[in-house]
Amino acid sequence: KAGVTQTPRYLIKTRGQQVTLSCSPISGHRSVSWYQQTPGQGLQFLFEYFSETQRNKGNFPGRFSGRQFSNSRSEMNVSTLELGDSALYLCASSLWQGREKLFFGSGTQLSVL
Amino acid sequence: GQQLNQSPQSMFIQEGEDVSMNCTSSSIFNTWLWYKQEPGEGPVLLIALYKAGELTSNGRLTAQFGITRKDSFLNISASIPSDVGIYFCAGQLVQGAQKLVFGQGTRLTINP
């Protein structure tokens, strides 16, 4: 069974631009979560989607948004990029029912110049 | 926000030694998870714990869910070079919610 797939693997953007990251969950998984990882703050929860609905949201500004499609694939968008948005963005998927084991993708490394 | 205190921050050991690390919190968690992350990759799930006092093994790895539900421990026995990486603990506060709170990680380095 294929794992969580994230694209692109690397991105370089400049301040003020916007970016869209994509995530395909493990087949059969219906819940997708996004996390930001930085050396200073560690792993921080961004948001969680299930059945195309946002279920939980972390403490990030409104510039960070996401969505989930009917096939459970998810995208996250960051608008008006700031230097501090440089980070590894990780997507994780899980089965909604039952135990909540999160399986992570390899991430998208975003650099904002 | 919620925080997990993970220690030690780093470890430098000889191959073959046993390793212990732990996470503590002021909050009660429903689930504890341990992940390992290698450079350029996402965290890989090692062990999941669901009940206070639970002790679970995965090969040379053993983890425990503290009886107070505010802490968890991970032990690695007879370390080998491929154990190198960063180990994270993560806690789930609310059953059914995918929001995890992560520790700051323990960086493990092994001298052959």
Side-chain angles (χ1 to χ4, degrees):
Chain A
K1 185 183 274 191
V4 178
T5 304
Q6 291 188 246
T7 56
R9 195 77 170 83
Y10 302 95
L11 266 179
I12 299 176
K13 294 286 186 179
T14 56
R15 279 180 300 174
Q17 287 187 311
Q18 75 164 20
V19 66
T20 299
L21 313 181
S22 180
C23 172
S24 293
I26 293 172
S27 177
H29 283 197
R30 299 176 63 193
S31 177
V32 173
S33 303
W34 289 88
Y35 288 78
Q36 181 196 64
Q37 185 175 28
T38 61
Q41 298 298 316
L43 281 146
Q44 302 282 321
F45 172 79
L46 280 158
F47 27 63
E48 171 200 352
Y49 286 87
F50 176 76
S51 290
E52 304 175 62
T53 302
Q54 187 178 90
R55 302 290 172 143
N56 285 291
K57 190 178 192 304
N59 296 324
F60 280 83
R63 299 184 298 105
F64 291 81
S65 63
R67 59 178 177 169
Q68 186 181 33
F69 302 95
S70 58
N71 61 0
S72 295
R73 193 177 67 84
S74 178
E75 290 181 345
M76 70 163 279
N77 184 276
V78 188
S79 62
T80 319
L81 284 166
E82 301 177 0
L83 295 179
D85 296 333
S86 294
L88 179 66
Y89 289 88
L90 292 160
C91 170
S93 75
S94 68
L95 292 170
W96 179 252
Q97 297 298 327
R99 300 303 191 181
E100 290 77 19
K101 292 183 180 180
L102 282 191
F103 297 90
F104 285 85
S106 297
T108 294
Q109 184 68 54
L110 172 65
S111 297
V112 182
L113 306 178
Chain B
Q2 304 295 334
Q3 283 192 323
L4 291 182
N5 300 310
Q6 186 171 350
S7 65
Q9 289 188 335
S10 60
M11 301 184 73
F12 299 85
I13 63 170
Q14 296 293 124
E15 184 177 350
E17 287 185 14
D18 295 344
V19 172
S20 292
M21 61 191 76
N22 70 83
C23 273
T24 61
S25 172
S26 57
S27 301
I28 291 175
F29 287 94
N30 286 307
T31 304
W32 283 94
L33 302 129
W34 284 90
Y35 288 88
K36 177 188 176 186
Q37 187 175 26
E38 297 183 27
E41 298 296 327
V44 174
L45 180 65
L46 299 173
I47 292 179
L49 303 158
Y50 303 106
K51 295 189 300 185
E54 180 180 354
L55 186 71
T56 298
S57 293
N58 177 9
R60 294 177 296 106
L61 278 62
T62 301
Q64 185 162 25
F65 194 141
I67 57 173
T68 66
R69 298 172 63 190
K70 293 182 178 181
D71 56 7
S72 181
F73 307 86
L74 176 69
N75 295 316
I76 305 173
S77 62
S79 59
I80 60 178
S82 62
D83 290 335
V84 165
I86 303 177
Y87 292 80
F88 291 96
C89 61
Q92 181 192 53
L93 281 167
V94 178
Q95 194 74 20
Q98 299 306 313
K99 178 179 179 179
L100 294 181
V101 178
F102 279 84
Q104 288 297 90
T106 295
R107 182 181 295 274
L108 180 62
T109 303
I110 298 175
N111 297 317

